[in-house]
Amino acid sequence: IENVQRKDLNPIEEGEGYKKLIDEFGYDQDKVSKFIGKSRPHITNCLRLLTLPEKVKKLISEEKLSQGHAKTLVGLNNAELLADKAIQKGLSVRQIENLVKVFKLNTKNTSVVKNPNILDIEAQLSDKLGMRVNLSNKKNNSGKLIFEYRGLDQLNRLVDIIKKNY
């Protein structure tokens, strides 16, 4: 405990100390927090830093990268690349946070390929009805069927078709 409370520890050493208390003495993060006198989020953040790639942890230990920078990189596949960028360009924590947001947005924008059966159903319905149809199906086979009509005459025709057949 005294080792963890030393002032000259870097965030990685601090995290390793907390991990040792948890692993060897069976403490949870709350107990460590109360014992050490630091907030639980601080303990959690230090432990999360231990999940970073070795290269990034080394940069933190060498004080080339701050704990604030590193916290932003936790859980990213490209943490090493972003850490290098932060050091090379002298980016602030806010700048690296914005860079991470851009990377996350770009990965979310990868298009999800629709099931060919769903695409076929959409095409068949569109051909029969003469309007755009969008079918979204969830994993539990529930979802939405959306008909896009252009004008009241298309809506009335759709309503008539449904009424005649059901």
Side-chain angles (χ1 to χ4, degrees):
I1 292 167
E2 287 174 7
N3 285 342
V4 173
Q5 291 177 326
R6 284 189 359 236
K7 296 282 184 220
D8 60 341
L9 289 178
N10 68 54
I12 298 300
E13 292 170 331
E14 197 176 339
E16 287 169 347
Y18 298 149
K19 185 172 178 6
K20 193 171 187 176
L21 285 172
I22 290 169
D23 293 345
E24 289 183 17
F25 298 102
Y27 292 171
D28 61 8
Q29 290 181 17
D30 274 333
K31 199 168 189 179
V32 170
S33 164
K34 289 173 185 158
F35 219 65
I36 301 298
K38 302 237 177 168
S39 72
R40 187 179 184 283
H42 176 78
I43 305 293
T44 303
N45 286 331
C46 286
L47 290 169
R48 288 178 67 223
L49 293 179
L50 299 178
T51 65
L52 287 165
E54 287 304 316
K55 181 180 176 188
V56 178
K57 288 195 287 191
K58 187 175 180 204
L59 293 171
I60 298 166
S61 295
E62 294 170 350
E63 296 182 359
K64 292 181 180 175
L65 196 66
S66 75
Q67 183 174 0
H69 286 91
K71 217 168 49 169
T72 309
L73 303 175
V74 171
L76 298 177
N77 294 333
N78 56 351
E80 289 180 19
L81 171 77
L82 291 172
D84 287 339
K85 280 257 189 267
I87 292 168
Q88 287 170 2
K89 304 223 181 228
L91 299 177
S92 69
V93 174
R94 295 293 166 248
Q95 289 171 319
I96 197 81
E97 285 173 351
N98 290 333
L99 191 59
V100 166
K101 282 180 189 175
V102 168
F103 271 100
K104 284 183 178 179
L105 284 175
N106 287 341
T107 57
K108 284 182 184 177
N109 287 342
T110 56
S111 61
V112 176
V113 178
K114 256 189 183 176
N115 181 326
N117 296 327
I118 300 293
L119 291 172
D120 186 47
I121 292 169
E122 286 177 345
Q124 287 179 22
L125 287 171
S126 288
D127 290 343
K128 293 258 186 213
L129 299 171
M131 62 183 72
R132 194 168 168 193
V133 177
N134 186 4
L135 177 60
S136 60
N137 189 38
K138 296 178 187 170
K139 288 182 181 178
N140 65 356
N141 288 325
S142 66
K144 294 180 184 177
L145 179 59
I146 300 170
F147 300 98
E148 292 183 31
Y149 57 88
R150 298 181 191 265
L152 286 176
D153 53 329
Q154 277 191 339
L155 175 61
N156 288 333
R157 192 165 54 87
L158 179 62
V159 170
D160 288 343
I161 292 170
I162 292 171
K163 284 181 178 178
K164 284 181 190 171
N165 294 299
Y166 297 100

